[in-house]
Amino acid sequence: MTRRPQPPVARPMSESDFRTLYERLRASARTDAHGGAHAGRRGALRHLTPARVAAAAAEVRLGRTVSLAAPIETRPGPDNPDPAKHRMTGPAPGEAGAEGLHFALDRFAMNVHGDADSHLDALNHVLYDGELHGGVPAVDATAAEVRSLSVDLVREGIAGRGVLLDVPRLRGVPWLEPGDHVTTEDLTAAEEAQGVRVGPGDLLLVRVGHRRRRGELGAWEAARARAGLHPEAMGFLAEREVAVLGGDGNNDTAPSAVADVAFPVHVLAVHAMGVHLMDYLQFEELAGACARAGRWSFLCVVAPLRLPGATGSPVNPIAVL
């Protein structure tokens, strides 16, 4: 019988330890690889250079596209009390069977940052100690400063090398249970097991199996209990110069590992490091395709909506194998 690797023990963090980690990652994000200050407020996207985007095109070998988004949900549930609203606004009464030209029309409204729908977090999404990313004061920030950190920052899209690390596959389980943490040791072990290495400018996707568990067991109150990354794992992203982080859950674990900080990964990623997050993606089809192809890297294309000033956007990332 093959022995399943035991999950690493993820220790709780005191707020003091978290502050130390936060300051270290924030200081690291302020300096580029040559020791100078970086220009502008692109955050970790500075690692995604044109040369790395061009190199990512070489990841396409099969010509197969895979959506990494879950269908937008319009019915309320334990993890989605404020679901998206969709209604047909046309054709008008009597037009459907009438002669001539008429149109079917739609209207959508949604809470972008819920616990069910796939979305991207912009750099103006997280406020911590009265500031936005880059030290922009949240209270006195100008409209231009806030907009410079909004989802409009990625209006040209994000394209680069995507890497999927499948932690449940590593541990020999279908999913991680709510409350479990992905550690740095998990990430490095998954790299070794899958024969891939995360590098500068990569779009790192970490599967915890949230979507599969939800699909098989039904929705639960994910705000109170979910699997995600341990805050200390963010050091891995900083060391590897990751540009974007995406998860099939919220990326943060609940309950939090840090006393009095409910979303430590969001604070470290978005606020300290300038890493755009993608929450509640769908990796089941991609994981199967990668396993069959025997490789876990691919071209990944992310095209958020152009919403000037917005703190996030619904998103449908596409992996191209």
Side-chain angles (χ1 to χ4, degrees):
M1 175 182 292
T2 302
R3 296 186 64 185
R4 295 177 176 177
Q6 293 298 310
V9 177
R11 68 179 184 87
M13 289 186 76
S14 67
E15 187 173 3
S16 174
D17 287 342
F18 174 77
R19 288 272 180 180
T20 299
L21 177 61
Y22 168 83
E23 293 297 343
R24 176 170 66 83
L25 295 178
R26 188 183 190 191
S28 176
R30 287 173 173 168
T31 307
D32 64 21
H34 303 290
H38 2 137
R41 290 200 174 99
R42 286 183 56 77
L45 291 177
R46 68 189 183 279
H47 301 308
L48 189 51
T49 63
R52 287 171 179 156
V53 174
E59 297 287 335
V60 180
R61 302 174 194 175
L62 303 178
R64 180 183 175 187
T65 59
V66 181
S67 169
L68 308 185
I72 292 176
E73 299 188 13
T74 57
R75 294 184 178 181
D79 58 350
N80 196 22
D82 182 23
K85 297 175 177 61
H86 169 228
R87 64 185 179 92
M88 298 285 289
T89 60
E95 288 184 346
E99 294 184 357
L101 175 63
H102 306 282
F103 293 99
L105 305 172
D106 302 83
R107 183 177 298 274
F108 287 94
M110 71 181 300
N111 169 22
V112 171
H113 299 288
D115 287 317
D117 297 320
S118 306
H119 63 271
L120 177 139
D121 291 341
L123 299 187
N124 63 348
H125 174 49
V126 177
L127 287 71
Y128 188 62
D129 286 346
E131 292 182 347
L132 300 173
H133 170 68
V136 175
V139 173
D140 299 323
T142 66
E145 285 177 314
V146 173
R147 180 166 174 164
S148 73
L149 296 172
S150 75
V151 75
D152 195 51
L153 178 65
V154 289
R155 61 184 175 273
E156 307 297 339
I158 304 171
R161 178 179 181 254
V163 176
L164 176 66
L165 296 184
D166 191 338
V167 178
R169 176 186 175 92
L170 170 73
R171 297 191 190 174
V173 296
W175 54 70
L176 304 190
E177 288 296 339
D180 200 352
H181 292 85
V182 174
T183 66
T184 299
E185 292 77 12
D186 280 319
L187 299 178
T188 55
E191 283 185 315
E192 182 178 358
Q194 296 173 205
V196 68
R197 181 176 174 83
V198 178
D202 283 352
L203 284 66
L204 173 59
L205 309 176
V206 180
R207 178 178 177 266
V208 298
H210 180 100
R211 288 290 182 184
R212 179 172 174 184
R213 187 182 194 278
R214 188 176 188 267
E216 294 188 18
L217 302 184
W220 70 96
E221 197 173 353
R224 292 184 176 272
R226 59 180 180 269
L229 274 68
H230 191 276
E232 290 178 341
M234 298 310 295
F236 174 93
L237 277 74
E239 177 187 342
R240 299 299 181 83
E241 299 185 340
V242 166
V244 176
L245 172 64
D248 53 347
N250 176 262
N251 286 298
D252 261 299
T253 304
S256 172
V258 183
D260 300 322
V261 182
F263 295 89
V265 168
H266 277 65
V267 173
L268 296 175
V270 177
H271 196 279
M273 300 166 61
V275 172
H276 284 79
L277 293 183
M278 292 188 290
D279 297 334
Y280 294 107
L281 301 180
Q282 168 64 273
F283 294 150
E284 299 311 305
E285 185 178 356
L286 176 64
C290 286
R292 289 189 293 273
R295 62 188 186 90
W296 299 84
S297 60
F298 38 84
L299 174 64
C300 188
V301 180
V302 184
L305 299 180
R306 295 196 63 169
L307 298 168
T311 64
S313 169
V315 72
N316 179 21
I318 303 296
V320 189
L321 283 73

